[in-house]
Amino acid sequence: MSKSAATRPRPLSPHLFIYKPIPTMVMSIVHRITGASLYFGILLVAAWLLAAATSEAWFNTVSAIYGSWLGLLVLFGFTWSLVHHMLGGVRHFVMDLGLGLDKHFSTKVAALMPVVSIALTVLLWVVGFMARGA
Amino acid sequence: MTDFRTPLSRVRGLGAAREGTGHFWYQRVTAAANIPLILFFVGLIIALSDASFADVRATLANPFITVLLVLAVISVTYHMKLGMQMIIEDYVHDEFLKIVSLMLNIFYTLIVGAVCIFALLKIAFGG
């Protein structure tokens, strides 16, 4: 006897993993991931501000941690998340206006996103280190 | 109390959640505000990257800078609340877990915002 409709698992619509990843889809997911990492990354900013408000000893401790190679690596990732999420946000604003939605154009723009975000992040860090030297 | 509005006028443009496009709209408003505020913050961090404790405090105590950073914290933490709420609503299907997560999201973003603003004001007022 076949199972009744109530106990048989209901059919689900195909989800993300069934599709071939394409640039627009991947960038949509990366926008979420970078947003979520910024959500927790802001703790780095909060800790820095709190240390600056507390004492010189705390400020120096936080500065030393952030200045270590691991700290710099995390801050670099934080910067990239911020740059990528902001670029993605601008892209969403353009799409909200109904512009750039053409299939081939939007795919090209999405494919360019990681290139531009990584280049801008590197540029920011180069400027940052140059500012230190000056 | 008598309500003279028709049922249609009360729900028009609001939908079942009673806030209409409020979530979408505030996500966009805070996103737009975040762009200049975060650009300012990034520039400030680059300028302060090897500054001493005293220099950092003197810079952060500048009223112009304090106000911009407090505004940035408000806009960013509200944007965070809206974004994480959307992620939770999309992926957490268990009703109890969803409500707890939504609550924790509000607590977390408010606490982060409060800590940042308190620190900024403490520095600004020279405490």
Side-chain angles (χ1 to χ4, degrees):
Chain A
M1 204 176 87
S2 67
K3 285 183 174 177
S4 73
T7 56
R8 200 171 53 224
R10 307 306 301 147
L12 294 168
S13 60
H15 200 48
L16 286 177
F17 306 104
I18 205 169
Y19 299 109
K20 185 181 81 168
I22 55 169
T24 43
M25 162 196 180
V26 173
M27 282 310 110
S28 170
I29 297 169
V30 172
H31 193 69
R32 279 220 161 160
I33 294 172
T34 51
S37 63
L38 293 169
Y39 180 90
F40 296 105
I42 196 176
L43 290 175
L44 296 168
V45 179
W48 183 72
L49 286 174
L50 205 56
T54 306
S55 69
E56 185 157 13
W58 271 108
F59 182 79
N60 290 339
T61 304
V62 170
S63 294
I65 295 170
Y66 288 10
S68 68
W69 67 267
L70 186 64
L72 290 175
L73 195 68
V74 171
L75 286 179
F76 187 83
F78 185 38
T79 315
W80 175 75
S81 289
L82 190 64
V83 169
H84 194 97
H85 198 77
M86 188 182 283
L87 281 177
V90 171
R91 184 169 146 264
H92 278 278
F93 269 130
V94 175
M95 292 193 295
D96 283 348
L97 295 170
L99 303 170
L101 294 171
D102 167 76
K103 188 167 72 178
H104 298 290
F105 181 75
S106 62
T107 302
K108 262 186 214 153
V109 173
L112 270 176
M113 286 282 293
V115 181
V116 177
S117 65
I118 291 170
L120 278 178
T121 307
V122 171
L123 185 72
L124 277 177
W125 277 70
V126 168
V127 170
F129 273 102
M130 275 167 39
R132 283 172 84 92
Chain B
M1 223 183 99
T2 314
D3 188 346
F4 290 103
R5 298 175 69 199
T6 65
L8 178 63
S9 89
R10 267 186 273 118
V11 298
R12 185 168 273 159
L14 285 177
R18 320 284 302 138
E19 60 158 16
T21 56
H23 187 283
F24 175 92
W25 172 242
Y26 283 108
Q27 183 108 44
R28 266 41 177 201
V29 170
T30 50
N34 284 348
I35 295 173
L37 292 169
I38 290 297
L39 288 177
F40 172 77
F41 172 74
V42 170
L44 186 75
I45 290 299
I46 288 177
L48 289 177
S49 66
D50 67 344
S52 68
F53 176 67
D55 284 346
V56 167
R57 284 180 63 102
T59 307
L60 294 182
N62 178 305
F64 182 72
I65 291 174
T66 309
V67 169
L68 279 178
L69 290 184
V70 168
L71 288 175
V73 170
I74 294 170
S75 182
V76 164
T77 49
Y78 195 46
H79 191 78
M80 280 165 47
K81 183 258 172 192
L82 294 172
M84 189 52 80
Q85 180 188 338
M86 198 157 61
I87 293 178
I88 292 167
E89 287 167 350
D90 278 358
Y91 302 129
V92 183
H93 301 307
D94 179 85
E95 199 61 23
F96 178 74
L97 214 68
K98 180 163 74 183
I99 288 171
V100 170
S101 310
L102 289 172
M103 212 181 257
L104 288 176
N105 178 40
I106 295 172
F107 291 160
Y108 171 79
T109 48
L110 263 177
I111 290 168
V112 168
V115 166
C116 290
I117 291 172
F118 168 75
L120 284 165
L121 293 182
K122 183 166 185 280
I123 295 167
F125 295 139

